[in-house]
Amino acid sequence: MGFELSPEEVETFTAELARLREEHRDLDSAIDALERVGSINQVQVQRLKKRKLYLKDRIAQIEDVLTPDIIA
């Protein structure tokens, strides 16, 4: 037994999903740029990678809410 999201909730989740995906892509670019530069700050890179992992998990959570379970 599931639940229905209101159109407003779907819109809110969809907007958050887009924002999180964009931030995830931006972090990819930032990490790549830092790794290409000669002097790498490993602490900063690790923090960015942790943030990226958090975003990936949050994206998956939102996608699960937006995608209904299919019972075969």
Side-chain angles (χ1 to χ4, degrees), residues 30-49:
I31 291 168
D32 287 344
L34 283 173
E35 289 177 338
R36 273 187 258 130
V37 174
S39 60
I40 297 175
N41 182 344
Q42 287 297 333
V43 174
Q44 185 178 14
V45 171
Q46 276 190 317
R47 286 182 182 155
L48 292 175
K49 286 182 177 183

Side-chain angles (χ1 to χ4, degrees), residues 11-28:
E11 184 177 333
T12 300
F13 279 125
T14 303
E16 183 179 0
L17 189 58
R19 183 187 61 77
L20 293 172
R21 284 179 174 156
E22 182 178 355
E23 185 178 349
H24 190 270
R25 279 191 305 271
D26 291 346
L27 283 173
D28 258 343

